Amino acid sequence: MPLSEHEQRLLEQMERALYAEDPKFASALEGTGLRAYTRRRVYQAAAGFVVGIALLMGGMVAQLIWVSVVGFLVMLGCAVLAVTGWRRGPAGHGAGPKPATTPRRKAGVMNRMEQRWQRRRDEQSGL
């Protein structure tokens, strides 16, 4: 359930007050553990990708197709893990509270879509 505009404003005020009172504590709460986990996951995926290349090449040299296929699948899986880990990584480390314009813009778009949907539903039920 999304927060109302009033709740979003209150949350933003609380975040600003926290950053003003204790910026060190606020930056500790930002999720440095998440950044480290994401970075470690991307590094592990890169290492797995290299292992997949080695399996692929080894299978080709030994003329064992199934080893090459396993190597390719390992490469593919590790590439997917690395890309998803990279995309999910937190953006704007230490930047403070996020600007209020983004949630309002999303809420505005969602409200317009809901209003259009409601109008269409009302028009169809009135026919």
Side-chain angles (χ1 to χ4, degrees), residues 7-51:
E7 292 170 333
Q8 288 177 354
R9 276 186 262 128
L10 286 175
L11 182 61
E12 290 166 7
Q13 289 175 354
M14 290 169 54
E15 287 177 351
R16 277 188 246 124
L18 177 63
Y19 277 97
E21 290 176 14
D22 195 356
K24 190 175 183 180
F25 177 68
S27 65
L29 290 178
E30 280 186 340
T32 56
L34 179 62
R35 269 187 275 161
Y37 170 75
T38 303
R39 187 178 306 127
R40 184 175 46 237
R41 183 175 169 187
V42 169
Y43 288 152
Q44 288 172 347
F49 190 82
V50 171
V51 169

